[in-house]
Amino acid sequence: MKNNTLVNHPPAVPMPEDNRSLVAPIYQSVKFSFDDTAETLSYLRGERDGFFYSRSSNPTLKQLQLLLAQLQGRDDCLLTGSGVATIAASLLSLCKQGDHILAFIESYGPTRYIVQHLLAKFGVTHTLLSIEDLAGIERVLRESPTRLVVFESPTNPVTKIADIEHLTKQARRAGALTVLDNTFAGFHNHGAYDIDIYLHSLTKYASGHGDVMGGAIIARGELIDAMRKDLSSMGPTLDPHAAFLIQRGMRTYFLRYERQCANAQAAGLFLKSHARVKAVYYPGLESHPQHALARRQMTDFGAVVTIELDGGLEQGARFAEALQLFSISASVGSAESLVMPPQLLAGNEYTAEQRAAALITRGTVRLSIGLEDVEDLIQDLSQALDRAFS
Ligand SMILES: *Cc1c(COP(=O)(O)O)cnc(C)c1O
């Protein structure tokens, strides 16, 4: 073998059977090979285990898929390169022309875009209600044959809580599948409910460090199997290196989530006591209008605390800019604290009526509470409020 051949067939290093790596290696390989054609065909027919092409399956992704499915209490999982890719790909896969989707005003902006614009191009219709409109939900599901109910809890940014039992019961009776974007609540919440499909942005709590994007679709095996071919044909696959980083992030998922929730609770209590803060939206606070429902549905309440400042846009921007430990940025759930002033929350192509239903005003500021020391965070919030109103 000449050297220019050798560099393309480097020496293999098989691991002895009794000698394992404690961390699974990154299978940064597009292709996997069987010894002969018959075994390859047998794999492609689904008659044996294995891997062939990383757009469809890869061992590094498989470990993360099994972990996330187990945490959420379902059979199986598909991974994508971002959270929105899971939303777009799963909704495209689950719907056909003429289907109807029930979606919500308070949903994540790109989800509403996908339902209102992208799926509409293919003849999928929708109704947009407020997640609090229980009578409307009952009426729509009774009167319009519906394929999917797509929702979130807590919602972004004002942490409204969906009544999941009510929603799933109505949807089941109407023969609709429920799709819960569970990113804000996390993998350990809502698993006991009769939800058909969970979506997660892995960019947030799963990776945890703000350095990698990903998404997950988690459901019972039959539903995942029905979507598998569509996804591998659309190709929004997660890269194995990103999967490895997310898997690594998951090791500290519970520690981070618990600490962030404790920090958020303390920050929420402080903010509630401040004269310049008109309202605090955090489901863990007893003052949250749906605290009892949140407590029934969730074990903890996430890192997002949204406030309604006295004053308006100007005070919101001054407050955000005066914060030292919170960066003005998108995203939530990362290790460092983040803030979105009202100017950056107001867009989202809402009509005035929808914005009112979503409770987004000229004084709304969203905080994502990180892992910093809680006393430092509270001191920072306090000095920034002083500066915003001085
Ligand atoms: C961030 C987010 C997404 C999208 O995730 P990306 O990884 O940024 O594409 C979807 N849903 C919710 C609720 C989110 O917060």
Side-chain angles (χ1 to χ4, degrees):
M1 196 190 288
K2 302 209 170 51
N3 279 349
N4 57 345
T5 302
L6 175 63
V7 292
N8 285 296
H9 296 267
V13 183
M15 290 291 285
E17 279 221 359
D18 62 348
N19 179 204
R20 280 172 295 275
S21 148
L22 289 194
V23 173
I26 310 176
Y27 285 90
Q28 192 75 48
S29 180
V30 172
K31 292 146 287 176
F32 299 84
S33 178
F34 297 96
D35 285 341
D36 56 47
T37 314
E39 289 304 313
T40 311
L41 271 175
S42 157
Y43 166 78
L44 291 173
R45 288 196 203 102
E47 294 159 6
R48 62 158 289 171
D49 282 345
F51 301 92
F52 189 60
Y53 196 61
S54 278
R55 178 155 37 70
S56 302
S57 61
N58 171 289
T60 306
L61 269 68
K62 179 98 181 191
Q63 185 181 40
L64 184 57
Q65 286 165 321
L66 293 173
L67 173 70
L68 298 182
Q70 216 165 311
L71 288 180
Q72 190 68 87
R74 293 298 184 274
D75 306 327
D76 209 350
C77 170
L78 294 166
L79 297 172
T80 63
S82 72
V84 296
T86 67
I87 301 165
S90 60
L91 297 192
L92 268 170
S93 178
L94 290 163
C95 289
K96 62 177 189 317
Q97 186 183 27
D99 281 346
H100 173 253
I101 295 180
L102 174 56
F104 298 95
I105 293 165
E106 296 89 344
S107 290
Y108 186 60
T111 303
R112 282 182 282 115
Y113 177 85
I114 289 164
V115 170
Q116 293 178 279
H117 300 283
L118 183 65
L119 291 172
K121 289 201 295 188
F122 301 100
V124 176
T125 62
H126 66 271
T127 304
L128 210 57
L129 296 178
S130 167
I131 194 70
E132 294 174 301
D133 184 0
L134 300 191
I137 292 168
E138 279 194 49
R139 177 176 44 75
V140 168
L141 288 174
R142 201 173 48 241
E143 292 174 2
S144 315
T146 297
R147 170 69 173 155
L148 300 178
V149 180
V150 181
F151 72 107
E152 291 163 35
S153 188
T155 65
N156 180 15
V158 298
T159 70
K160 290 188 192 177
I161 304 297
D163 186 334
I164 301 181
E165 198 172 324
H166 177 266
L167 253 181
T168 50
K169 225 182 241 166
Q170 303 297 323
R172 189 64 72 209
R173 190 173 301 152
L177 293 173
T178 45
V179 180
L180 170 57
D181 180 337
N182 212 18
T183 301
F184 270 43
F187 306 94
H188 60 298
N189 274 310
H190 299 153
Y193 286 92
D194 186 23
I195 300 287
D196 294 299
I197 295 135
Y198 296 87
L199 306 179
H200 287 269
S201 166
L202 306 180
T203 312
K204 315 287 170 58
Y205 294 106
S207 100
H209 297 76
D211 50 9
V212 58
M213 304 192 85
I217 305 169
I218 303 172
R220 57 182 179 273
E222 154 220 341
L223 282 170
I224 293 290
D225 286 342
M227 285 186 264
R228 194 184 302 282
K229 179 127 194 192
D230 289 351
L231 259 89
S232 79
S233 302
M234 288 188 260
T237 319
L238 187 67
D239 180 79
H241 197 268
F244 171 83
L245 288 173
I246 293 165
Q247 175 76 61
R248 187 166 76 153
M250 285 305 295
R251 288 188 180 246
T252 55
Y253 166 81
F254 285 100
L255 288 175
R256 285 186 286 102
Y257 198 96
E258 281 162 20
R259 171 60 72 87
Q260 282 174 271
C261 289
N263 283 358
Q265 182 82 18
L269 276 174
F270 163 74
L271 290 162
K272 211 178 128 1
S273 71
H274 199 284
R276 293 297 199 167
V277 179
K278 286 201 294 193
V280 179
Y281 302 104
Y282 184 68
L285 294 179
E286 279 176 28
S287 56
H288 188 288
Q290 294 169 295
H291 174 68
L293 178 61
R295 192 159 273 296
R296 204 155 65 234
Q297 294 187 170
M298 309 173 76
T299 56
D300 39 20
F301 308 101
V304 174
V305 178
T306 295
I307 58 176
E308 175 84 35
L309 278 185
D310 210 1
L313 292 176
E314 192 196 324
Q315 283 72 24
R318 277 169 59 189
F319 170 65
E321 287 158 16
L323 285 166
Q324 299 296 303
L325 297 175
F326 293 71
S327 302
I328 299 174
S329 183
S331 199
V332 301
S334 54
E336 70 280 353
S337 292
L338 305 168
V339 57
M340 286 281 272
Q343 288 83 350
L344 302 182
L345 290 173
N348 275 341
E349 58 185 45
Y350 278 129
T351 63
E353 197 179 315
Q354 289 172 339
R355 186 166 308 130
L359 294 182
I360 299 173
T361 73
R362 295 162 72 80
T364 307
V365 177
R366 186 185 74 190
L367 300 163
S368 173
I369 307 293
L371 289 171
E372 299 92 341
D373 187 273
V374 70
E375 285 179 20
D376 287 343
L377 290 176
I378 288 174
Q379 202 166 25
D380 194 29
L381 291 166
S382 174
Q383 68 77 24
L385 283 166
D386 290 346
R387 300 232 331 246
F389 291 97
S390 66

